[in-house]
Amino acid sequence: FFDISNTMGERRMYSMVQRLNTLSTITVTNVAAFTCVLALSTFYFHLNVDMEPHVDVKINAVHKFGRLGVNRYYGNEEAHVTLDLDADLRPLLHWNVKQLFVFVSASYTTKLHKTSEVVLWDFIISSKEQAQFYFQGVTNKYPLVDKGKNLRNANITLKFHWNTMPHSGLLFFHSKAGSSPMTFPSKYIQGNPDPVPSY
């Protein structure tokens, strides 16, 4: 005889909800495994020495240098500079990189602080077309401000930093010093010439 109870039990065992649950579990497991492999691949690219980019940055000129605030004696010092940026970051862009965040900082030493560092310019790179550039005389996005009177005759070293932002995985941060450190002027400079776009 035909056993109706067993047939109904099998139907309940393989219901649509259970099939969808099994399918979703397999899908999530595969996606998680692929994401893990993707994340682990960032270490290979990070350790690959052939991916070292070409970077050079230097101060083109100091166009304005003086004190902030009404009180010229006690106010902080501020400088506006133009930069020469030459970079080829295309080796850093691979299939697991969403974008690069790059910025330029000025580093110098004062009597109170072993290292003072100020960000002057930044840029987001999301394609290989943007990853190779040469900007000559580009103005700083952010002024070089010192809380005190430490910029005159200061030895300024520019650093180019890049932060690799992957689709999946860890964020890696790197920096490289510019080739031409600069000694800041001993006297303040007045003037505000038309700046080159900061991009």
Side-chain angles (χ1 to χ4, degrees):
F1 295 96
F2 186 72
D3 192 346
I4 297 178
S5 61
N6 289 339
T7 304
M8 295 301 292
E10 290 180 1
R11 288 181 179 178
R12 287 194 297 271
M13 184 180 297
Y14 300 105
S15 65
M16 182 61 68
V17 174
Q18 289 173 321
R19 291 177 180 179
L20 289 175
N21 182 58
T22 302
L23 181 61
S24 62
T25 301
I26 294 174
T27 302
V28 170
T29 302
N30 289 336
V31 170
F34 177 76
T35 303
C36 290
V37 172
L38 193 66
L40 290 174
S41 70
T42 58
F43 290 98
Y44 166 77
F45 294 111
H46 174 66
L47 298 174
N48 192 344
V49 294
D50 294 333
M51 296 180 61
E52 183 70 20
H54 163 74
V55 172
D56 191 24
V57 56
K58 61 183 179 181
I59 294 178
N60 180 293
V62 180
H63 289 284
K64 188 176 181 180
F65 179 32
R67 286 196 166 277
L68 288 171
V70 178
N71 192 318
R72 296 294 178 179
Y73 182 78
Y74 293 104
N76 296 328
E77 289 181 329
E78 179 184 71
H80 293 265
V81 301
T82 52
L83 309 170
D84 289 343
L85 300 168
D86 183 12
D88 185 0
L89 306 177
R90 290 176 297 177
L92 299 176
L93 293 174
H94 51 81
W95 52 273
N96 192 29
V97 172
K98 182 179 181 181
Q99 63 185 18
L100 298 173
F101 177 70
V102 301
F103 63 95
V104 174
S105 68
S107 177
Y108 57 99
T109 301
T110 68
K111 295 179 180 180
L112 297 177
H113 304 286
K114 185 177 180 180
T115 301
S116 296
E117 197 163 12
V118 181
V119 174
L120 303 178
W121 179 89
D122 60 16
F123 191 49
I124 295 177
I125 297 171
S126 55
S127 66
K128 285 201 172 185
E129 289 73 19
Q130 297 175 315
Q132 184 180 24
F133 54 84
Y134 176 63
F135 299 149
Q136 185 175 18
V138 61
T139 188
N140 54 272
K141 281 187 177 182
Y142 316 105
L144 174 54
V145 177
D146 178 79
K147 294 183 178 180
K149 299 179 290 184
N150 303 298
L151 286 180
R152 284 177 292 181
N153 294 316
N155 292 318
I156 306 293
T157 299
L158 294 187
K159 293 182 179 179
F160 189 94
H161 310 262
W162 63 93
N163 194 347
T164 305
M165 301 180 181
H167 292 286
S168 175
L170 298 177
L171 279 70
F172 291 104
F173 182 80
H174 302 269
S175 63
K176 188 175 181 180
S179 61
S180 303
M182 176 184 179
T183 301
F184 241 56
S186 58
K187 297 181 179 179
Y188 293 141
I189 300 173
Q190 299 298 326
N192 187 19
D194 294 333
V196 177
S198 58
Y199 300 90

